[in-house]
Amino acid sequence: MAKTKDPAAVADKVIYECNSRDPERIARQNGIMIREVEWKEQSGAYIEMMRQPVIFVAERLDPVMRSIVIAHELGHHFLHKKEAAESGGFREFKIFDMMLNNMEYEANTFAAQLLLPDDEIKDLIYEGYDVAQIASIMNSDINLVALKVSGYIKEGSPFRKQEYKNKFY
């Protein structure tokens, strides 16, 4: 069985290579088209059509959630491109539903690493802020911050376990 890529390490490599944490800039630099669509329920999707990667994002999203959705879909591009290409074109990934499959968890982990710098998160934790406060300060989503903190705990950091929803949008 093939070894799964480490989503955080892949995100770090992308940040380094693109010299940016901005999901839209990263998409442009990697030739990924972003298209807004009028979806009422779904937030985003990643597809590859005729070797052209495309991220679809719901136009109704506020700027913070738009950035998170694009970062999540970039996770699919950098981590699951082969699976998307093999799906025969359009492959719908239900955004943020980590109970659905491991690819969603990996895409969320990629997004958290891309959007939330470790040093800033850890500094805020050491200053006594909780995940809700950190999310507010960093203009992010509480569940993305909680996922990031859970990753630190898995690595052995002595932080308090944080609760987050498996499907948070």
Side-chain angles (χ1 to χ4, degrees):
M1 181 153 102
K3 186 176 187 295
T4 305
K5 296 178 186 175
D6 174 10
V10 172
D12 287 340
K13 182 179 178 193
V14 169
I15 293 163
Y16 177 78
E17 289 176 352
C18 295
N19 194 31
S20 179
R21 290 181 176 273
D22 177 0
E24 295 197 45
R25 178 176 170 191
I26 292 168
R28 280 192 307 275
Q29 287 180 348
N30 285 277
I32 303 166
M33 293 176 19
I34 297 175
R35 296 288 180 248
E36 288 191 352
V37 289
E38 294 182 28
W39 284 333
K40 299 221 184 305
E41 292 183 27
Q42 189 170 341
S43 299
Y46 171 79
I47 66 168
E48 188 172 310
M49 296 186 325
M50 297 170 42
R51 298 186 189 168
Q52 173 61 57
V54 182
I55 291 174
F56 290 99
V57 61
E59 66 183 11
R60 65 179 159 71
L61 300 177
D62 65 72
V64 171
M65 190 53 66
R66 176 187 168 88
S67 181
I68 292 170
V69 167
I70 293 171
H72 172 94
E73 300 305 338
L74 284 171
H76 287 308
H77 173 77
F78 289 107
L79 299 165
H80 311 127
K81 188 174 183 175
K82 179 181 173 190
E83 291 87 345
E86 289 174 354
S87 70
F90 191 83
R91 169 81 186 258
E92 181 176 314
F93 295 101
K94 292 194 178 199
I95 189 79
F96 304 133
D97 191 350
M98 294 185 289
M99 295 299 287
L100 186 63
N101 63 42
N102 194 48
M103 288 193 299
E104 296 307 313
Y105 176 80
E106 291 172 351
N108 288 340
T109 301
F110 178 96
Q113 187 70 15
L114 183 69
L115 297 172
L116 302 171
D118 289 320
D119 55 345
E120 292 179 39
I121 295 283
K122 288 180 179 179
D123 284 350
L124 292 168
I125 291 170
Y126 289 127
E127 290 175 25
Y129 293 101
D130 65 23
V131 291
Q133 294 167 319
I134 293 170
S136 178
I137 291 166
M138 296 190 74
N139 203 23
S140 187
D141 181 273
I142 185 173
N143 295 293
L144 205 61
V145 175
L147 180 63
K148 183 94 169 171
V149 173
S150 292
Y152 297 146
I153 293 167
K154 285 181 187 175
E155 293 170 353
S157 295
F159 301 133
R160 186 181 66 227
K161 184 176 184 215
Q162 301 296 316
E163 297 297 324
Y164 57 89
K165 298 177 188 174
N166 284 322
K167 184 174 181 180
F168 57 86
Y169 186 79

